[in-house]
Amino acid sequence: MIAYRAILDVPRELVQHVARLLRAERRRVGTRPGTRTLTCFHQALLVLVWFRKGEDKTTLGAGFGVSRATAYRYVAEAVRVLAARAPTLHDALRRVADQDWSHVILDGKLFHTDRLAETTTSVKGETIDAWYSGKHRDFGANIQAVTRPDGLPIWTSDAMPGHLHDLTCAQHLNITAALYWAASELRLPTLADSAYEGAGLGIHTPYKQPADGRRLAVDNRTYNAALRSMRCLGERGFAILTGRWRTLRHSTASPRQIGDIVRAALHLTHFEYRYLPHSC
């Protein structure tokens, strides 16, 4: 292999922030000084290179003078530490309400993965690939996200198998229950697309076109236009994450780990957008 100089386009403050979290984790588990190949700062740098560029961990480890196994271990440790700093859904909703935002936006996205052999039984009783999405015609994990009205993601979910519908994932993860609470207790309604039709009170979805081909009533078309104009910024949430952190675009890790990886990227995004709570 040939080494070369490169520049990582993240602020030095972010590297130092991640290094502080890793240093606290080493103290927590009782790591003795001088027993790690890389310092906390250089481990943080390695992890941010992986998030930002999505490099193969073998090549990434060689660039930092560590083995492939060590690179995997360093990245996994950092993902676990960063994901643990992400807010809970109730805390995220309460914070948005305290900042006087008018609503939040719910959306789902398939995060692409390599082909998987895990199977499950469909509602029709057929054996299907658990992580294959017929809608996207690809393998991946379904991640749900809640964003502010301006598109900044404030919370992301655990990974769910790609064959599941967005509404099914939201119900299984108790997201709809939390959004009902926000609508009733915090006066914070949720806007969503037609994939969440029937989600319940407080979660507003567009009216669907009648099956018999008739046009929607003018009031319903006006409602859909207004909803679409406010909800469209929610699409920006996943774009912020995948555009900034290239490793999210395709994963070779276990799909069940994608939820933690996305939460870790969310924490990094909140740091760059100065959205971390004061306790961080």
Side-chain angles (χ1 to χ4, degrees):
M1 294 187 181
I2 300 175
Y4 65 95
R5 295 176 66 89
I7 294 176
L8 181 63
D9 56 342
V10 301
R12 188 177 184 86
E13 292 78 12
L14 179 56
V15 185
Q16 293 170 334
H17 172 70
V18 176
R20 284 194 296 270
L21 297 180
L22 293 173
R23 189 175 300 112
E25 175 66 9
R26 292 188 185 187
R27 285 197 300 265
R28 187 187 70 82
V29 300
T31 301
R32 297 191 307 276
T35 58
R36 293 288 191 98
T37 306
L38 296 183
T39 64
C40 293
F41 182 88
H42 285 93
Q43 181 184 354
L45 190 59
L46 177 148
V47 169
L48 289 171
V49 170
W50 180 74
F51 268 105
R52 184 70 184 95
K53 297 185 176 182
E55 287 191 359
D56 173 74
K57 292 190 181 75
T58 303
T59 305
L60 179 63
F64 282 83
V66 298
S67 68
R68 177 175 180 267
T70 300
Y72 268 89
R73 188 169 64 252
Y74 278 166
V75 169
E77 179 184 43
V79 166
R80 185 177 66 253
V81 169
L82 292 170
R85 308 293 297 187
T88 66
L89 180 52
H90 283 80
D91 287 344
L93 292 170
R94 192 177 289 108
R95 185 177 181 188
V96 171
D98 290 343
Q99 294 173 342
D100 293 329
W101 290 97
S102 60
H103 62 275
V104 293
I105 302 168
L106 174 64
D107 199 9
K109 176 178 172 59
L110 187 79
F111 282 78
H112 302 285
T113 67
D114 286 349
R115 183 183 179 89
L116 299 160
E118 183 180 345
T119 60
T120 188
T121 302
S122 70
V123 293
K124 297 181 180 179
E126 301 173 348
T127 299
I128 60 173
D129 291 308
W131 298 89
Y132 182 79
S133 169
K135 175 183 177 181
H136 298 89
R137 297 184 179 182
D138 200 358
F139 287 82
N142 185 305
I143 298 290
Q144 301 290 301
V146 177
T147 66
R148 290 191 325 195
D150 62 351
L152 179 69
I154 60 170
W155 179 85
T156 58
S157 73
D158 290 335
M160 296 293 289
H163 79 278
L164 294 175
H165 191 270
D166 280 339
L167 178 57
T168 302
C169 294
Q171 292 173 333
H172 181 82
L173 295 169
N174 292 323
I175 299 171
T176 50
L179 296 178
Y180 300 157
W181 168 80
S184 62
E185 298 295 327
L186 305 178
R187 299 183 183 275
L188 189 69
T190 300
L191 309 185
D193 60 26
S194 57
Y196 299 91
E197 184 182 22
L201 296 175
I203 302 176
H204 301 278
T205 59
Y207 291 101
K208 283 191 173 181
Q209 188 71 25
D212 58 8
R214 292 182 293 111
R215 293 191 69 190
L216 282 172
V218 63
D219 288 348
N220 292 346
R221 295 201 305 271
T222 303
Y223 172 87
N224 284 356
L227 182 67
R228 191 182 308 114
S229 67
M230 293 187 291
R231 188 190 60 78
C232 65
L233 289 177
E235 304 288 343
R236 181 171 176 257
F238 282 121
I240 288 173
L241 293 173
T242 58
R244 180 60 172 159
W245 312 111
R246 195 169 300 170
T247 196
L248 301 181
R249 298 178 189 177
H250 184 90
S251 176
T252 58
S254 167
R256 298 190 186 280
Q257 297 176 2
I258 293 177
D260 281 343
I261 295 173
V262 175
R263 271 192 293 270
L266 178 69
H267 181 79
L268 298 176
T269 300
H270 284 178
F271 182 92
E272 292 197 329
Y273 278 77
R274 301 179 184 276
Y275 192 67
L276 291 183
H278 295 305
S279 60
C280 291

Short mmCIF file of all heavy atoms in Angstrom, two decimals, residues 154-199:
data_model
loop_
_atom_site.label_atom_id
_atom_site.label_comp_id
_atom_site.label_asym_id
_atom_site.label_seq_id
_atom_site.Cartn_x
_atom_site.Cartn_y
_atom_site.Cartn_z
N ILE A 154 -34.01 15.56 14.34
CA ILE A 154 -33.84 15.66 15.79
C ILE A 154 -33.81 14.30 16.46
O ILE A 154 -33.39 14.18 17.61
CB ILE A 154 -34.96 16.52 16.43
CG1 ILE A 154 -36.34 15.90 16.14
CG2 ILE A 154 -34.89 17.95 15.91
CD1 ILE A 154 -37.47 16.53 16.92
N TRP A 155 -34.26 13.25 15.74
CA TRP A 155 -34.30 11.90 16.32
C TRP A 155 -34.37 10.87 15.20
O TRP A 155 -35.01 11.11 14.16
CB TRP A 155 -35.52 11.75 17.23
CG TRP A 155 -35.66 10.38 17.83
CD1 TRP A 155 -35.06 9.92 18.97
CD2 TRP A 155 -36.44 9.29 17.33
NE1 TRP A 155 -35.41 8.60 19.19
CE2 TRP A 155 -36.27 8.20 18.20
CE3 TRP A 155 -37.26 9.13 16.20
CZ2 TRP A 155 -36.89 6.97 17.99
CZ3 TRP A 155 -37.88 7.91 15.99
CH2 TRP A 155 -37.69 6.85 16.89
N THR A 156 -33.69 9.74 15.39
CA THR A 156 -33.79 8.62 14.46
C THR A 156 -34.01 7.33 15.23
O THR A 156 -33.66 7.22 16.41
CB THR A 156 -32.52 8.49 13.59
OG1 THR A 156 -31.38 8.32 14.44
CG2 THR A 156 -32.33 9.71 12.70
N SER A 157 -34.57 6.35 14.56
CA SER A 157 -35.04 5.13 15.22
C SER A 157 -34.04 3.98 15.12
O SER A 157 -33.01 4.09 14.45
CB SER A 157 -36.37 4.69 14.59
OG SER A 157 -36.13 4.15 13.29
N ASP A 158 -34.39 2.88 15.77
CA ASP A 158 -33.69 1.62 15.55
C ASP A 158 -33.96 1.15 14.12
O ASP A 158 -34.91 1.61 13.47
CB ASP A 158 -34.20 0.55 16.52
CG ASP A 158 -33.77 0.82 17.96
OD1 ASP A 158 -32.74 1.51 18.16
OD2 ASP A 158 -34.46 0.34 18.88
N ALA A 159 -33.13 0.22 13.66
CA ALA A 159 -33.30 -0.33 12.31
C ALA A 159 -34.38 -1.40 12.31
O ALA A 159 -34.44 -2.24 13.21
CB ALA A 159 -31.98 -0.92 11.82
N MET A 160 -35.25 -1.35 11.32
CA MET A 160 -36.29 -2.35 11.12
C MET A 160 -36.08 -3.01 9.75
O MET A 160 -35.55 -2.38 8.83
CB MET A 160 -37.67 -1.71 11.19
CG MET A 160 -38.01 -1.11 12.55
SD MET A 160 -38.20 -2.38 13.82
CE MET A 160 -39.74 -3.13 13.31
N PRO A 161 -36.48 -4.28 9.59
CA PRO A 161 -36.31 -4.97 8.30
C PRO A 161 -36.93 -4.20 7.15
O PRO A 161 -38.01 -3.61 7.28
CB PRO A 161 -37.01 -6.31 8.53
CG PRO A 161 -36.90 -6.55 10.00
CD PRO A 161 -37.04 -5.19 10.63
N GLY A 162 -36.24 -4.21 6.01
CA GLY A 162 -36.65 -3.39 4.88
C GLY A 162 -37.98 -3.74 4.26
O GLY A 162 -38.56 -2.92 3.55
N HIS A 163 -38.50 -4.95 4.49
CA HIS A 163 -39.78 -5.32 3.87
C HIS A 163 -40.97 -4.67 4.56
O HIS A 163 -42.07 -4.68 4.02
CB HIS A 163 -39.96 -6.86 3.89
CG HIS A 163 -40.39 -7.41 5.21
ND1 HIS A 163 -39.50 -7.66 6.25
CD2 HIS A 163 -41.62 -7.75 5.70
CE1 HIS A 163 -40.17 -8.14 7.29
NE2 HIS A 163 -41.44 -8.20 6.98
N LEU A 164 -40.75 -4.09 5.74
CA LEU A 164 -41.86 -3.52 6.49
C LEU A 164 -42.26 -2.15 5.97
O LEU A 164 -41.43 -1.36 5.53
CB LEU A 164 -41.49 -3.43 7.98
CG LEU A 164 -41.28 -4.76 8.71
CD1 LEU A 164 -40.80 -4.50 10.13
CD2 LEU A 164 -42.56 -5.59 8.70
N HIS A 165 -43.54 -1.86 6.08
CA HIS A 165 -44.10 -0.57 5.68
C HIS A 165 -43.74 0.48 6.73
O HIS A 165 -43.55 0.18 7.90
CB HIS A 165 -45.62 -0.72 5.58
CG HIS A 165 -46.32 0.43 4.94
ND1 HIS A 165 -46.79 1.51 5.65
CD2 HIS A 165 -46.62 0.67 3.64
CE1 HIS A 165 -47.37 2.36 4.83
NE2 HIS A 165 -47.29 1.89 3.60
N ASP A 166 -43.66 1.75 6.29
CA ASP A 166 -43.31 2.83 7.21
C ASP A 166 -44.24 2.89 8.41
O ASP A 166 -43.79 3.06 9.56
CB ASP A 166 -43.33 4.18 6.47
CG ASP A 166 -42.06 4.43 5.67
OD1 ASP A 166 -41.03 3.80 5.98
OD2 ASP A 166 -42.11 5.25 4.74
N LEU A 167 -45.54 2.78 8.19
CA LEU A 167 -46.49 2.86 9.29
C LEU A 167 -46.30 1.70 10.26
O LEU A 167 -46.36 1.89 11.48
CB LEU A 167 -47.92 2.89 8.76
CG LEU A 167 -49.03 2.93 9.83
CD1 LEU A 167 -48.87 4.13 10.74
CD2 LEU A 167 -50.40 2.93 9.16
N THR A 168 -46.03 0.51 9.73
CA THR A 168 -45.80 -0.65 10.59
C THR A 168 -44.58 -0.42 11.48
O THR A 168 -44.61 -0.73 12.68
CB THR A 168 -45.60 -1.91 9.74
OG1 THR A 168 -46.75 -2.11 8.91
CG2 THR A 168 -45.38 -3.14 10.61
N CYS A 169 -43.51 0.12 10.90
CA CYS A 169 -42.31 0.41 11.69
C CYS A 169 -42.60 1.43 12.78
O CYS A 169 -42.18 1.27 13.93
CB CYS A 169 -41.20 0.92 10.78
SG CYS A 169 -40.58 -0.28 9.58
N ALA A 170 -43.32 2.50 12.42
CA ALA A 170 -43.63 3.55 13.38
C ALA A 170 -44.48 3.02 14.53
O ALA A 170 -44.28 3.39 15.70
CB ALA A 170 -44.34 4.71 12.69
N GLN A 171 -45.41 2.14 14.24
CA GLN A 171 -46.24 1.57 15.30
C GLN A 171 -45.46 0.58 16.16
O GLN A 171 -45.59 0.58 17.39
CB GLN A 171 -47.46 0.89 14.68
CG GLN A 171 -48.44 1.86 14.03
CD GLN A 171 -49.55 1.16 13.27
OE1 GLN A 171 -49.39 0.04 12.78
NE2 GLN A 171 -50.68 1.82 13.15
N HIS A 172 -44.64 -0.26 15.52
CA HIS A 172 -43.88 -1.26 16.26
C HIS A 172 -42.88 -0.61 17.22
O HIS A 172 -42.64 -1.11 18.32
CB HIS A 172 -43.14 -2.17 15.29
CG HIS A 172 -42.35 -3.26 15.95
ND1 HIS A 172 -42.91 -4.43 16.38
CD2 HIS A 172 -41.02 -3.33 16.28
CE1 HIS A 172 -41.98 -5.19 16.94
NE2 HIS A 172 -40.83 -4.55 16.89
N LEU A 173 -42.31 0.53 16.82
CA LEU A 173 -41.32 1.23 17.63
C LEU A 173 -41.95 2.24 18.59
O LEU A 173 -41.22 3.01 19.24
CB LEU A 173 -40.33 1.95 16.71
CG LEU A 173 -39.45 1.04 15.83
CD1 LEU A 173 -38.71 1.85 14.78
CD2 LEU A 173 -38.47 0.25 16.67
N ASN A 174 -43.28 2.27 18.65
CA ASN A 174 -44.02 3.18 19.54
C ASN A 174 -43.79 4.65 19.20
O ASN A 174 -43.94 5.53 20.06
CB ASN A 174 -43.65 2.93 21.01
CG ASN A 174 -44.15 1.59 21.52
OD1 ASN A 174 -45.24 1.14 21.15
ND2 ASN A 174 -43.35 0.94 22.34
N ILE A 175 -43.43 4.91 17.95
CA ILE A 175 -43.26 6.30 17.51
C ILE A 175 -44.61 7.00 17.46
O ILE A 175 -44.74 8.15 17.89
CB ILE A 175 -42.57 6.34 16.13
CG1 ILE A 175 -41.18 5.71 16.21
CG2 ILE A 175 -42.48 7.77 15.63
CD1 ILE A 175 -40.52 5.52 14.86
N THR A 176 -45.62 6.31 16.96
CA THR A 176 -46.94 6.93 16.87
C THR A 176 -47.47 7.30 18.25
O THR A 176 -48.08 8.36 18.43
CB THR A 176 -47.92 5.98 16.16
OG1 THR A 176 -47.86 4.68 16.77
CG2 THR A 176 -47.59 5.86 14.68
N ALA A 177 -47.22 6.44 19.24
CA ALA A 177 -47.67 6.75 20.60
C ALA A 177 -47.01 8.02 21.13
O ALA A 177 -47.67 8.86 21.75
CB ALA A 177 -47.38 5.57 21.52
N ALA A 178 -45.71 8.17 20.88
CA ALA A 178 -44.99 9.38 21.33
C ALA A 178 -45.51 10.61 20.60
O ALA A 178 -45.62 11.70 21.20
CB ALA A 178 -43.50 9.21 21.09
N LEU A 179 -45.86 10.46 19.33
CA LEU A 179 -46.37 11.61 18.57
C LEU A 179 -47.78 11.98 19.01
O LEU A 179 -48.14 13.16 18.98
CB LEU A 179 -46.31 11.30 17.07
CG LEU A 179 -44.89 11.09 16.50
CD1 LEU A 179 -44.95 10.74 15.03
CD2 LEU A 179 -44.02 12.32 16.73
N TYR A 180 -48.60 10.98 19.41
CA TYR A 180 -49.91 11.30 19.98
C TYR A 180 -49.72 12.14 21.25
O TYR A 180 -50.42 13.13 21.47
CB TYR A 180 -50.67 10.02 20.37
CG TYR A 180 -50.96 9.06 19.26
CD1 TYR A 180 -51.18 7.71 19.52
CD2 TYR A 180 -51.03 9.48 17.93
CE1 TYR A 180 -51.45 6.81 18.51
CE2 TYR A 180 -51.29 8.59 16.90
CZ TYR A 180 -51.50 7.25 17.20
OH TYR A 180 -51.76 6.36 16.20
N TRP A 181 -48.77 11.72 22.08
CA TRP A 181 -48.49 12.46 23.32
C TRP A 181 -48.06 13.89 23.02
O TRP A 181 -48.51 14.83 23.69
CB TRP A 181 -47.40 11.71 24.09
CG TRP A 181 -46.81 12.48 25.22
CD1 TRP A 181 -47.34 12.66 26.47
CD2 TRP A 181 -45.58 13.22 25.21
NE1 TRP A 181 -46.50 13.45 27.23
CE2 TRP A 181 -45.42 13.81 26.48
CE3 TRP A 181 -44.59 13.42 24.25
CZ2 TRP A 181 -44.32 14.59 26.81
CZ3 TRP A 181 -43.49 14.19 24.57
CH2 TRP A 181 -43.37 14.78 25.84
N ALA A 182 -47.19 14.05 22.01
CA ALA A 182 -46.72 15.39 21.68
C ALA A 182 -47.86 16.27 21.18
O ALA A 182 -47.93 17.46 21.52
CB ALA A 182 -45.62 15.30 20.61
N ALA A 183 -48.76 15.69 20.40
CA ALA A 183 -49.88 16.47 19.87
C ALA A 183 -50.84 16.89 20.99
O ALA A 183 -51.34 18.03 20.99
CB ALA A 183 -50.62 15.67 18.81
N SER A 184 -51.09 16.00 21.94
CA SER A 184 -52.07 16.30 22.99
C SER A 184 -51.49 17.10 24.15
O SER A 184 -52.13 18.01 24.67
CB SER A 184 -52.67 15.00 23.52
OG SER A 184 -51.67 14.18 24.10
N GLU A 185 -50.26 16.77 24.55
CA GLU A 185 -49.67 17.40 25.73
C GLU A 185 -48.81 18.63 25.40
O GLU A 185 -48.74 19.57 26.18
CB GLU A 185 -48.82 16.39 26.50
CG GLU A 185 -49.59 15.20 27.03
CD GLU A 185 -50.61 15.58 28.07
OE1 GLU A 185 -50.34 16.54 28.81
OE2 GLU A 185 -51.67 14.93 28.15
N LEU A 186 -48.14 18.60 24.26
CA LEU A 186 -47.23 19.68 23.89
C LEU A 186 -47.80 20.59 22.81
O LEU A 186 -47.13 21.56 22.43
CB LEU A 186 -45.89 19.10 23.41
CG LEU A 186 -45.16 18.16 24.36
CD1 LEU A 186 -43.88 17.64 23.71
CD2 LEU A 186 -44.84 18.85 25.67
N ARG A 187 -48.98 20.24 22.29
CA ARG A 187 -49.57 20.98 21.17
C ARG A 187 -48.61 21.02 19.99
O ARG A 187 -48.39 22.06 19.36
CB ARG A 187 -49.97 22.39 21.60
CG ARG A 187 -51.01 22.43 22.71
CD ARG A 187 -51.43 23.84 23.05
NE ARG A 187 -52.37 23.88 24.15
CZ ARG A 187 -53.69 23.72 24.02
NH1 ARG A 187 -54.19 23.50 22.83
NH2 ARG A 187 -54.47 23.75 25.08
N LEU A 188 -48.03 19.86 19.70
CA LEU A 188 -47.03 19.73 18.63
C LEU A 188 -47.48 18.65 17.65
O LEU A 188 -47.18 17.47 17.83
CB LEU A 188 -45.67 19.36 19.24
CG LEU A 188 -44.45 19.40 18.31
CD1 LEU A 188 -44.12 20.85 17.92
CD2 LEU A 188 -43.24 18.75 18.99
N PRO A 189 -48.24 19.02 16.62
CA PRO A 189 -48.71 18.03 15.66
C PRO A 189 -47.58 17.53 14.76
O PRO A 189 -46.50 18.12 14.70
CB PRO A 189 -49.75 18.80 14.85
CG PRO A 189 -49.31 20.23 14.93
CD PRO A 189 -48.70 20.38 16.30
N THR A 190 -47.86 16.46 14.05
CA THR A 190 -46.88 15.84 13.15
C THR A 190 -47.43 15.84 11.73
O THR A 190 -48.60 15.52 11.51
CB THR A 190 -46.60 14.39 13.58
OG1 THR A 190 -46.08 14.38 14.90
CG2 THR A 190 -45.59 13.73 12.65
N LEU A 191 -46.57 16.17 10.77
CA LEU A 191 -46.92 16.07 9.35
C LEU A 191 -46.21 14.86 8.77
O LEU A 191 -45.05 14.59 9.09
CB LEU A 191 -46.49 17.33 8.60
CG LEU A 191 -46.94 18.68 9.18
CD1 LEU A 191 -46.53 19.81 8.24
CD2 LEU A 191 -48.43 18.70 9.42
N ALA A 192 -46.90 14.11 7.91
CA ALA A 192 -46.32 12.91 7.33
C ALA A 192 -46.89 12.70 5.93
O ALA A 192 -47.90 13.32 5.55
CB ALA A 192 -46.60 11.69 8.21
N ASP A 193 -46.25 11.82 5.15
CA ASP A 193 -46.76 11.54 3.80
C ASP A 193 -47.81 10.43 3.85
O ASP A 193 -48.19 9.94 4.91
CB ASP A 193 -45.62 11.19 2.84
CG ASP A 193 -44.82 9.97 3.29
OD1 ASP A 193 -45.38 9.11 4.00
OD2 ASP A 193 -43.64 9.87 2.91
N SER A 194 -48.28 10.01 2.69
CA SER A 194 -49.38 9.07 2.62
C SER A 194 -49.02 7.68 3.12
O SER A 194 -49.91 6.85 3.35
CB SER A 194 -49.90 8.97 1.18
OG SER A 194 -48.85 8.60 0.29
N ALA A 195 -47.73 7.39 3.29
CA ALA A 195 -47.32 6.09 3.83
C ALA A 195 -47.80 5.90 5.26
O ALA A 195 -47.84 4.77 5.75
CB ALA A 195 -45.80 5.95 3.77
N TYR A 196 -48.16 6.99 5.93
CA TYR A 196 -48.61 6.91 7.33
C TYR A 196 -50.12 7.12 7.45
O TYR A 196 -50.63 7.42 8.52
CB TYR A 196 -47.88 7.95 8.17
CG TYR A 196 -46.39 7.76 8.19
CD1 TYR A 196 -45.58 8.39 7.25
CD2 TYR A 196 -45.79 6.91 9.11
CE1 TYR A 196 -44.19 8.20 7.25
CE2 TYR A 196 -44.42 6.71 9.13
CZ TYR A 196 -43.63 7.37 8.19
OH TYR A 196 -42.26 7.17 8.19
N GLU A 197 -50.85 6.94 6.36
CA GLU A 197 -52.30 7.11 6.39
C GLU A 197 -52.92 6.18 7.44
O GLU A 197 -52.59 4.99 7.50
CB GLU A 197 -52.90 6.80 5.03
CG GLU A 197 -54.39 7.04 4.96
CD GLU A 197 -54.97 6.69 3.61
OE1 GLU A 197 -54.35 5.90 2.88
OE2 GLU A 197 -56.05 7.21 3.28
N GLY A 198 -53.78 6.72 8.27
CA GLY A 198 -54.41 5.93 9.32
C GLY A 198 -53.60 5.86 10.59
O GLY A 198 -53.94 5.09 11.50
N ALA A 199 -52.54 6.68 10.70
CA ALA A 199 -51.69 6.63 11.90
C ALA A 199 -52.43 7.10 13.14
O ALA A 199 -52.12 6.67 14.25
CB ALA A 199 -50.43 7.48 11.69
#
